[in-house]
Amino acid sequence: EPEVTQTPSHQVTQMGQEVILRCVPISNHLYFYWYRQILGQKVEFLVSFYNNEISEKSEIFDDQFSVERPDGSNFTLKIRSTKLEDSAMYFCASSGDPTGAYGYTFGSGTRLTVV
Amino acid sequence: EDQVTQSPEALRLQEGESSSLNCSYTVSGLRGLFWYRQDPGKGPEFLFTLYSAGEEKEKERLKATLTKKESFLHITAPKPEDSATYLCAVRKNTGGFKTIFGAGTRLFVKA
């Protein structure tokens, strides 16, 4: 069964450093998303991406965040200057249609720890 | 303000003991209600999408229903492998694809 692959599974970084989280969505999917889940809290929407541009972003997704699809297979989330409160599990997801009829396929996540 | 509230927070069942999980929502312009299953340390796994009141979907021991204000996930004769956190999420008619998740119901099924 097709999977969304995320790397690394766990990243520890110093406050103020830049991090790039990587995702390989399902190959024939066109809609891509990043979500985060702080330990013990809800899954929160960050951004959606379609046709090489951001479709929608949440209030969390400020100027410190950016997304990119640098080639035909990868989808990345960059945090420019990490803060302690950025520590969370970050999930990438993809879908093949805009309606969500078949839901989103999520990756297993990258656990980001900012120290 | 848009809200998705799930209850109960946690539910402990004996194997074979059927029950229901609730998701109530206050969202303007609903464009779909989703149910996901999440195992510890994993990403959410898609179960169902419901679009309109009265709609029902079934998959094995799970059945999801939708009204104008809430959705139920009915679990019939659960097994220990059904133990997981069940997440409800709604998508708004914003032109984008923002999805709002509830906090989830942690289900424990004992053999």
Side-chain angles (χ1 to χ4, degrees):
Chain A
E1 189 168 329
E3 287 185 342
V4 173
T5 305
Q6 290 187 244
T7 54
S9 57
H10 191 183
Q11 178 145 9
V12 181
T13 189
Q14 296 242 330
M15 194 167 54
Q17 294 296 304
E18 175 183 287
V19 294
I20 297 176
L21 310 183
R22 302 180 191 280
C23 170
V24 179
I26 291 174
S27 61
N28 62 348
H29 282 184
L30 301 175
Y31 302 86
F32 312 113
Y33 317 88
W34 283 100
Y35 288 81
R36 79 172 186 189
Q37 188 173 31
I38 295 170
L39 189 63
Q41 297 188 25
K42 295 181 182 184
V43 175
E44 298 176 290
F45 170 81
L46 293 178
V47 68
S48 58
F49 190 87
Y50 169 69
N51 200 26
N52 279 320
E53 60 183 28
I54 290 174
S55 308
E56 188 165 5
K57 59 184 180 180
S58 72
E59 315 75 50
I60 303 167
F61 195 89
D62 60 22
D63 292 343
Q64 293 299 312
F65 291 87
S66 63
V67 289
E68 194 178 34
R69 187 152 163 82
D71 53 43
S73 59
N74 290 283
F75 181 49
T76 62
L77 174 69
K78 182 193 291 185
I79 310 175
R80 267 180 262 284
S81 178
T82 50
K83 304 171 191 166
L84 294 176
E85 54 265 36
D86 293 327
S87 295
M89 183 76 98
Y90 287 81
F91 293 108
C92 172
S94 68
S95 66
D97 75 289
T99 68
Y102 304 102
Y104 302 161
T105 303
F106 283 80
S108 290
T110 293
R111 180 167 298 285
L112 176 66
T113 303
V114 182
V115 296
Chain B
E1 185 185 341
D2 300 323
Q3 279 200 332
V4 179
T5 304
Q6 292 189 246
S7 61
E9 289 185 15
L11 181 62
R12 295 181 185 275
L13 299 174
Q14 288 291 125
E15 184 172 4
E17 180 187 0
S18 301
S19 189
S20 296
L21 314 182
N22 178 264
C23 171
S24 62
Y25 62 92
T26 310
V27 170
S28 55
L30 181 72
R31 289 291 295 273
L33 184 141
F34 305 88
W35 283 98
Y36 286 88
R37 169 190 171 129
Q38 186 175 28
D39 292 299
K42 301 286 187 183
E45 177 188 343
F46 172 70
L47 294 173
F48 304 109
T49 306
L50 301 165
Y51 289 103
S52 53
E55 191 174 356
E56 298 183 353
K57 295 267 178 80
E58 281 189 69
K59 180 180 178 180
E60 296 180 358
R61 295 178 291 283
L62 300 177
K63 179 179 174 181
T65 61
L66 181 65
T67 72
K68 287 186 178 178
K69 294 184 179 179
E70 57 191 350
S71 177
F72 292 92
L73 184 66
H74 307 278
I75 303 177
T76 302
K79 298 182 178 182
E81 53 261 42
D82 294 322
S83 297
T85 297
Y86 290 85
L87 303 174
C88 171
V90 298
R91 204 172 76 167
K92 293 182 52 156
N93 183 16
T94 57
F97 307 103
K98 180 177 182 178
T99 304
I100 302 167
F101 278 81
T105 292
R106 287 176 294 139
L107 175 66
F108 305 92
V109 182
K110 188 174 178 183

